[in-house]
Amino acid sequence: MQREGQQLYLNLKDGPMVSRHKPSVDVLFRSAAQAAGERAVGVILTGMGDDGAQGMLELKKAGAMTFAQDEESCLVFGMPKEAVAKGGVRAVCSLSALPSQITKALMDHE
């Protein structure tokens, strides 16, 4: 992700694997943290492994609002659990509550 003035652009690149993943959620979240900082909103949903946990922490440190899906509504709580354990999540929500929480976070940034 890159910023040009007020515009953000996502560039897809064929890079190396990162933490056994390609594409990597960590890479996406890291670039969002660098390009958008506190105006970013990160959401990590059900999935196996720890891809995205470090990136969520980087988003949070950049001032972004970060959300994780709760264990009860996850099919596999691996990725959200690792992001929470790493300290990168500001709020844990059920899947059904996430849309309203994301909307609120976006409205707070206006």
Side-chain angles (χ1 to χ4, degrees):
M1 189 172 288
Q2 68 186 45
R3 176 182 292 281
E4 289 183 19
Q6 292 297 315
Q7 299 295 316
L8 293 173
Y9 297 92
L10 181 64
N11 295 314
L12 299 177
K13 298 178 181 177
D14 187 16
M17 292 180 91
V18 174
S19 300
R20 306 173 322 276
H21 302 284
K22 184 178 175 180
S24 168
V25 181
D26 277 328
V27 172
L28 173 66
F29 286 167
R30 182 174 299 119
S31 67
Q34 293 169 355
E38 66 183 14
R39 298 197 44 90
V41 176
V43 181
I44 194 154
L45 302 174
T46 186
M48 271 192 267
D50 63 356
D51 189 28
Q54 181 61 38
M56 285 289 277
L57 180 58
E58 292 177 35
L59 278 167
K60 183 179 175 190
K61 286 181 177 179
M65 188 62 197
T66 56
F67 297 97
Q69 184 178 355
D70 69 356
E71 184 172 9
E72 293 75 26
S73 65
C74 279
L75 183 59
V76 178
F77 190 53
M79 290 169 66
K81 178 181 178 182
E82 293 299 324
V84 169
K86 201 170 257 308
V89 175
R90 293 186 192 275
V92 178
C93 306
S94 68
L95 185 59
S96 62
L98 277 168
S100 64
Q101 293 300 311
I102 293 166
T103 301
K104 182 180 181 315
L106 292 171
M107 299 287 276
D108 289 346
H109 279 285
E110 288 185 353

